[in-house]
Amino acid sequence: MKGCRVIVVGGGAAGLMAAGQAARLGAETLLLEKMDRPGRKLRITGKGRCNLTNIADLSDAIAHFGPNGRFLRQAFSRFFNLELVVFFEKLGVPTVTERGGRVFPASGQAHDVVEALVKWVAASGSTIKTLSQVEKLLVRDGQVVGVQVSDFSSRKMAVTRQKYDANFVVVTTGGASYPATGSTGDGYRLAESVGHSIAPIRPSLVPLETAGTIAKRLKDLTLRNVAVRLLVNGKKKGEAFGEMVFTHYGVSGPVILSLSRQVVDFLSTGQQVVLCIDLKPALDEHKLDARLLRDLDGHGRKQFRTLLKGLLPGKMIPVCIDLTGVEPDRAGHQVNAQDRKRLRKWLKDFRLVVTGHRPFSEAIVTAGGVDTRKVDPRTMASRLVQGLYFAGEILDIDADTGGYNLQAAFSTGWVAGRSVGTGPGSLQNFNEELI
């Protein structure tokens, strides 16, 4: 049996941060990653640009996580967005802040983030071992003593099994989204095997499927600066503003992904879910009506379909005509008050019935996970097994889009790494150099 002081299971954002921090504090550290290289999911986040964090203040950021967000207050208080930006700048990865407070590497390349992290972990003194899947947590008398691992040969795919002993084990295996990157839910099984409860996992930040053929007709059309209300059994349950895109199966984009966190849960209980899209959120009913009157009167000889070019993207015009019932060849001055009312209502309340959501393979993050009530938010230590820690997406914490989820991974990984590097339950040395 081989041994070391700290074993980190999983080489994603949380795992790399935890391993590097523990090693820098002098702990003999081994990071075990089951894929052929660490950071595979991190390389594709933010469409390959890697939305590292958000400049929102602490309270606002926590609110983006919903009720479980309070678990992160301790971690965010110790290592948050400004610290993360400084951390990456010291690693040679300058950042830029974009619309909505989103922070990205200045190069726009997630690859640069991963390579800098991996290099930093190695320089910190931690060993990274790939193609090593942890099959079992080894626990004796309520204390974790190591892990059982299956090692895969990259050439022959031969499997050898061995055990590694350790004083501390940090599980950072991620969720179940994007399974091709290695996030297949392994950590939930490991946690359950030693007594931890798992909140039911489901896709979050996931595209939605809609009824009928409207979305398919609008495929690849992106709408910007729209407001979308979420109706559940006829009652408003949420709202978001920003960008969305139509797909062959339904809708996606930042606004839809944010609302999807609620939609998935509502659909699971058989409730009726409708998206109401306001295509002209800057205009109230009165101002929009005045705009329509001005266009119809000012260009009274033009056909209705031609007048719509000033209101809608070309791809939406046939859909608008079908759903409002206004004759496309009718001259503007012939469009009556009733027609105008139908058009106005549709522009402010274009509805799509949601029938489902896409699978884990298309979800950005996983909702659910290790019950945070049995994890110490000050250290990320298990309250059930001494020496066992959790960090990142495996925990039952998830937020909407904007960089919040990655910040949570880095923050909890930082806290876990510092905790195991300084000894069980220690809250010392948190103010040392960030890297």
Side-chain angles (χ1 to χ4, degrees):
M1 177 181 287
K2 300 180 179 180
C4 60
R5 180 176 171 80
V6 175
I7 289 177
V8 178
V9 184
L16 289 166
M17 180 63 81
Q21 293 296 337
R24 286 190 67 81
L25 288 173
E28 183 186 359
T29 306
L30 172 65
L31 188 155
L32 297 172
E33 166 58 46
K34 75 173 183 179
M35 303 301 283
D36 59 348
R37 58 179 177 170
R40 287 179 66 103
K41 184 176 178 181
L42 193 54
R43 293 173 193 271
I44 64 172
T45 58
K47 297 180 179 179
R49 297 184 61 222
C50 198
N51 185 182
L52 289 167
T53 185
N54 194 290
I55 62 170
D57 64 31
L58 189 146
S59 294
D60 184 26
I62 287 175
H64 281 273
F65 288 84
N68 281 1
R70 59 184 180 274
F71 174 83
L72 292 166
R73 184 170 293 278
Q74 293 277 351
F76 282 180
S77 295
R78 296 189 176 107
F79 186 82
F80 195 37
N81 46 25
L82 295 181
E83 289 84 2
L84 186 67
V85 167
V86 171
F87 172 84
F88 277 108
E89 286 180 348
K90 288 186 175 181
L91 295 188
V93 183
T95 62
V96 294
T97 303
E98 300 185 2
R99 182 168 52 91
R102 292 168 165 83
V103 178
F104 294 87
S107 67
Q109 298 294 319
H111 172 82
D112 294 343
V113 172
V114 178
E115 293 306 306
L117 274 173
V118 171
K119 182 178 179 181
W120 169 73
V121 172
S124 297
S126 176
T127 300
I128 299 176
K129 194 171 188 304
T130 58
L131 296 172
S132 297
Q133 181 169 349
V134 173
E135 301 285 359
K136 185 178 181 181
L137 298 176
L138 304 178
V139 176
R140 184 185 307 126
D141 298 326
Q143 163 78 49
V144 69
V145 295
V147 295
Q148 180 174 300
V149 177
S150 291
D151 289 329
F152 299 86
S153 165
S154 59
R155 294 181 179 180
K156 300 179 181 179
M157 291 308 294
V159 179
T160 59
R161 289 180 172 82
Q162 55 184 318
K163 295 180 180 180
Y164 294 84
D165 61 7
N167 300 101
F168 307 99
V169 174
V170 186
V171 180
T172 63
T173 49
S177 57
Y178 291 132
T181 65
S183 296
T184 54
D186 300 341
Y188 305 131
R189 175 183 53 79
L190 293 175
E192 278 189 306
S193 72
V194 295
H196 276 275
S197 298
I198 307 297
I201 64 169
R202 60 268 189 212
S204 185
L205 304 188
V206 65
L208 302 176
E209 299 171 347
T210 58
T213 61
I214 292 176
K216 189 173 184 180
R217 291 172 64 184
L218 298 175
K219 182 177 177 289
D220 297 328
L221 173 65
T222 296
L223 298 178
R224 295 179 174 85
N225 301 319
V226 296
V228 182
R229 287 180 297 126
L230 173 63
L231 292 189
V232 179
N233 296 334
K235 296 182 179 181
K236 181 180 174 181
K237 294 293 185 180
E239 187 171 21
F241 177 86
E243 181 178 311
M244 63 176 289
V245 62
F246 293 91
T247 67
H248 68 280
Y249 52 77
V251 285
S252 187
V255 170
I256 301 302
L257 296 178
S258 292
L259 291 173
S260 74
R261 297 175 65 223
Q262 296 173 266
V263 171
V264 170
D265 289 339
F266 288 129
L267 289 174
S268 69
T269 56
Q271 301 187 68
Q272 183 188 54
V273 179
V274 177
L275 299 175
C276 305
I277 305 167
D278 184 348
L279 299 168
K280 301 294 177 182
L283 301 175
D284 60 24
E285 293 271 351
H286 179 74
K287 290 180 180 179
L288 179 57
D289 194 45
R291 160 78 185 276
L292 296 177
L293 275 171
R294 187 169 62 250
D295 289 353
L296 293 170
D297 290 344
H299 307 280
R301 293 185 179 183
K302 291 185 178 181
Q303 293 179 325
F304 179 67
R305 64 156 59 95
T306 302
L307 291 172
L308 287 177
K309 292 180 180 179
L311 286 169
L312 296 167
K315 210 167 190 177
M316 291 199 82
I317 292 175
V319 172
C320 174
I321 290 170
D322 288 349
L323 295 180
T324 61
V326 181
E327 295 175 10
D329 298 330
R330 184 179 297 179
H333 62 79
Q334 294 178 327
V335 175
N336 59 39
Q338 195 62 32
D339 294 332
R340 197 175 71 249
K341 180 180 179 181
R342 291 201 302 273
L343 173 59
R344 185 177 70 245
K345 179 175 174 55
W346 183 81
L347 288 170
K348 298 292 289 182
D349 193 14
F350 167 33
R351 297 192 171 198
L352 294 169
V353 176
V354 181
T355 57
H357 57 80
R358 303 302 282 175
F360 270 117
S361 59
E362 297 178 39
I364 295 177
V365 298
T366 304
V370 174
D371 187 343
T372 56
R373 291 174 297 182
K374 298 300 181 182
V375 178
D376 187 340
R378 301 170 302 166
T379 61
M380 299 300 133
S382 165
R383 297 186 189 277
L384 303 179
V385 179
Q386 188 175 347
L388 178 63
Y389 293 72
F390 298 97
E393 194 179 350
I394 189 175
L395 293 163
D396 183 19
I397 47 173
D398 67 288
D400 47 25
T401 59
Y404 304 104
N405 289 293
L406 260 185
Q407 178 66 62
F410 285 125
S411 293
T412 55
W414 189 90
V415 169
R418 306 288 288 189
S419 298
V420 298
T422 56
S426 175
L427 297 177
Q428 299 176 358
N429 298 322
F430 275 116
N431 293 320
E432 291 187 7
E433 287 235 4
L434 295 177
I435 66 168

